[in-house]
Amino acid sequence: MTRSLRLRISTPMDALVPGAEALSVRAEDETGGFGIPPGHVDYLTMLPASVVRWHEAGGAERFCAVRAGILTVTGGTEVAISCREGVVGEDLDT
């Protein structure tokens, strides 16, 4: 079983997170918050305006505020988020 995920977050104009190695990803859709560990089944969902968070392989927690988007999980190793706008930060306050 794989131990990390490759996370990509992009807008039409920019690759906000071009390929971070993540231990887990947390997001929310209309049903509520959910987590994505390595090995997760393939998945597709719409994200409202919300904050996506992930833990990097080095242990740091990172954040990205997204203005609605689409999240896909592929092969249990790839998480991709396409959104209209997003802002990446190292802490929730930013």
Side-chain angles (χ1 to χ4, degrees):
M1 183 162 153
T2 205
R3 297 188 182 269
S4 65
L5 299 161
R6 183 167 179 84
L7 173 65
R8 292 177 292 130
I9 302 175
S10 58
T11 69
M13 302 299 288
D14 195 12
L16 301 173
V17 178
E21 184 178 353
L23 300 177
S24 64
V25 176
R26 291 213 38 93
E28 66 180 66
D29 62 13
E30 66 179 23
T31 64
F34 59 92
I36 302 169
H40 196 284
V41 298
D42 287 359
Y43 188 64
L44 170 69
T45 191
M46 299 288 293
L47 303 178
S50 58
V51 176
V52 176
R53 65 182 75 203
W54 65 97
H55 283 94
E56 293 183 334
E61 187 173 28
R62 301 286 309 270
F63 304 89
C64 184
V66 297
R67 177 183 265 182
I70 298 172
L71 178 144
T72 59
V73 178
T74 308
T77 60
E78 301 279 332
V79 178
I81 298 172
S82 299
C83 57
R84 289 193 179 274
E85 293 180 78
V87 177
V88 177
E90 293 183 9
D91 61 61
L92 195 52
D93 291 334
T94 58

